[in-house]
Amino acid sequence: MPTEKLHFDITLLQRLKEGDQGAFELLYTKHAKPVYLKIRRMVKVSEEVDELFQELFVRIWERREQIDIQQPFSAYLYRIAENMVYDFYRKAARTEKLRDTLRMTSQESYDQIEQTLFKKEAITLLHEAIATMPPLRRQAFILCKIEEKSYEEAADIMGISTNTVRNHIVKSMHTLKSYFQDQKNSDSAILLFLILSCY
């Protein structure tokens, strides 16, 4: 069953790369809600959330030929969304009025993203660390920690037990810790903290 779903996703992505709008609409329907909620949690300002969300899928369509169909589409989608949010906050920092509005709307959210901007390499390192995980462990981590699905939902998608999903998540966190401990970087502990707090 998981193999069939994976094959279906690869087929959709291949059709998307070829300019198939029907495939684009199916992918939009499947991923729109979770990525919208993620952007909303990061930005908080409704008008800006809607604009970023619309722009995200415009970019997906415009860059469809660059998509790697062998990689999880959700991870690609979230990475672009995160980069757009970071760019948004950079622009906001240059606009006094918008910055004040953001601070009044959600001081905590603004400060958290502003801090993450100075450590954006944490996101890059996270994706590098995920890539080192075995396929099932990587899939479990993406489903539960990035897409924020429950263990039960992940178990159903992967065709395995909830306990097995939980074991994969525990092992994935060990993988992350080991990966950062191996980095020749004095800020690795800070980066790890940022990653674990974000996910």
Side-chain angles (χ1 to χ4, degrees), residues 34-129:
V35 76
Y36 180 86
L37 293 174
K38 190 173 186 70
I39 293 173
R40 189 172 69 181
R41 282 194 296 272
M42 296 176 76
V43 177
K44 304 289 186 179
V45 182
S46 297
E47 296 81 2
E48 302 298 340
V49 171
D50 291 342
E51 186 173 332
L52 286 168
F53 177 73
Q54 292 174 10
E55 177 62 23
L56 169 64
F57 280 92
V58 169
R59 290 192 188 185
I60 293 296
W61 176 256
E62 291 176 344
R63 302 177 184 180
R64 60 189 182 277
E65 294 180 358
Q66 302 173 19
I67 295 174
D68 182 352
I69 64 174
Q70 299 300 326
Q71 298 299 316
F73 179 69
S74 57
Y76 174 74
L77 187 65
Y78 283 117
R79 184 161 62 250
I80 293 180
E82 287 169 349
N83 287 335
M84 289 177 63
V85 170
Y86 299 149
D87 288 342
F88 166 75
Y89 274 100
R90 284 194 185 90
K91 292 176 183 177
R94 302 188 194 105
T95 307
E96 189 70 30
K97 183 177 180 180
L98 181 55
R99 184 170 65 238
D100 291 343
T101 300
L102 286 167
R103 287 187 181 279
M104 287 186 294
T105 304
S106 179
Q107 177 71 42
E108 180 180 352
S109 177
Y110 182 90
D111 289 344
Q112 180 182 357
I113 298 300
E114 189 172 46
Q115 179 187 32
T116 304
L117 286 176
F118 289 106
K119 296 294 182 181
K120 187 182 174 183
E121 64 267 29
I123 301 300
T124 300
L125 288 174
L126 173 62
H127 290 296
E128 290 176 358

